[in-house]
Amino acid sequence: MNASPSHRPHPAEWTETQSLLPSAERDLPAGRHQFHKEQMMARIHEDLRTPSRTPSHTSSRTSGTSPVAPLKRSNPFLRRTILLPAAALALAGAVAGGLALTDGGTQDDTTALATGPALTTRIGAADAKGAPQLLDRISLAAADTSAPTPRKGQYIYIASKVADTYIKTVGGKSEAVSSELHSRQVWNSLDGRDGWLIEAGETSDKGITLKSNVPFSGAYNALAGLPTDPAALLRKIYQESDAVRDPEVPRDQAAFVAIGDLLFESYPPAEVGAALYKAAAKIPGVVAVDDAVDATGRHGVAIARESDGERTEWIFDKKTLRFLGERIVVVKAKAGDLLKVGTVTHTSAITERAVVDANKQLPGQVS
């Protein structure tokens, strides 16, 4: 949990360690937000004129046409807004209706592109038969009701460490590079209409305001309204992702990614969290992984799904089964691909999750 951006573990353990850059043509790991409409996202990026890492579905992983072609997620604000595909449609209206990202200070955009050697890792063994049992245990752990229930006016605080891998092209030469492991702090109001983001290298030190005229699907209130019956919940996720999913993205992968996004930067009620894991167990192709490492070097077990040669892994503590983070790993490389087997295209780790009384308030601080 005390990982430093300047330190990376040994490759035998983890040479890896989420989130958003200037507009450019970009590549994207299979299934990662591909179900969001590219044209809509392009318009949002242009309108907001903020750093973004939402890549183009049509570009190749093996080469880039821009100096840096990120492979990962969306803008910090867009990522928190587009958690279930239905919110993508709402976001288009939010842009026109007055969505605001206000910089708290001067930002040096050059820091957002800091890169180093491509992150790599050992690939854990996958077990399809073990997934239902592991998810059942994780669901039981998630059903623990000891966590405080947020009250009206409070905010959800999430602190994490994140990093991504890119295809960088300079002078006609392309190579895989990775951003430094860096910190990210997000505050979200319970309805998702107000918040604050501080991300090293992506925002100023003071951060940026997150405001929207519409709630987003990962907000606490929205999560609290989801079905707690796993079958009904999965049907809802499929229906919403199918409405905007790119036809080239398998619907099972889109559903798996949607659930993963709801798990990362959110604070679901215990019964909803438990239902999300039980719903994931019903998605074909989901496997258990014996060993995976989060962005801070914590080893755990994982629930994963492979699509187009890349495996998305949700990582859990081996003893408590608490959600630790997520990573995407190349498990099958194509001829001439710059991303070799074992390359980590995205990695994240939740370091703190809490309920606070005010926006920008840290856990333990007095209002």
Side-chain angles (χ1 to χ4, degrees), residues 51-85:
S52 167
R53 284 184 188 152
T54 300
S56 167
H57 168 68
T58 58
S59 52
S60 167
R61 292 196 321 175
T62 61
S63 63
T65 58
S66 59
V68 176
L71 294 166
K72 192 62 182 90
R73 303 178 189 263
S74 58
N75 173 288
F77 179 72
L78 300 182
R79 183 183 189 286
R80 70 185 276 281
T81 307
I82 307 177
L83 294 176
L84 279 180

Side-chain angles (χ1 to χ4, degrees), residues 25-26 61 117 123 162 164 196 212 237 246 272 317 332:
E25 187 176 6
R26 293 169 171 80
R61 292 196 321 175
I123 299 174
V162 297
D164 298 286
W196 192 260
S212 175
I237 290 173
D246 187 311
V272 174
D317 183 273
K332 293 178 182 178

Side-chain angles (χ1 to χ4, degrees), residues 75-77 80 100-102 186-188 192-197 208-212 359:
N75 173 288
F77 179 72
R80 70 185 276 281
L101 285 80
T102 305
V186 177
W187 289 259
N188 289 322
R193 295 175 183 267
D194 184 40
W196 192 260
L197 168 71
I208 57 176
T209 297
L210 306 177
K211 285 188 179 295
S212 175
N359 199 9

Side-chain angles (χ1 to χ4, degrees), residues 259-280:
I259 293 174
D261 282 344
L262 290 176
L263 296 172
F264 182 71
E265 238 165 45
S266 65
Y267 189 91
E271 62 274 17
V272 174
L276 285 169
Y277 292 120
K278 286 185 176 293

Side-chain angles (χ1 to χ4, degrees), residues 187-241:
W187 289 259
N188 289 322
S189 61
L190 300 189
D191 64 2
R193 295 175 183 267
D194 184 40
W196 192 260
L197 168 71
I198 302 175
E199 182 167 0
E202 306 292 351
T203 69
S204 69
D205 291 341
K206 294 181 180 179
I208 57 176
T209 297
L210 306 177
K211 285 188 179 295
S212 175
N213 292 335
V214 295
F216 73 104
S217 296
Y220 181 84
N221 290 351
L223 290 172
L226 289 175
T228 55
D229 174 72
L233 178 56
L234 187 59
R235 283 196 300 272
K236 179 178 178 63
I237 290 173
Y238 272 120
Q239 289 169 358
E240 295 188 346
S241 62

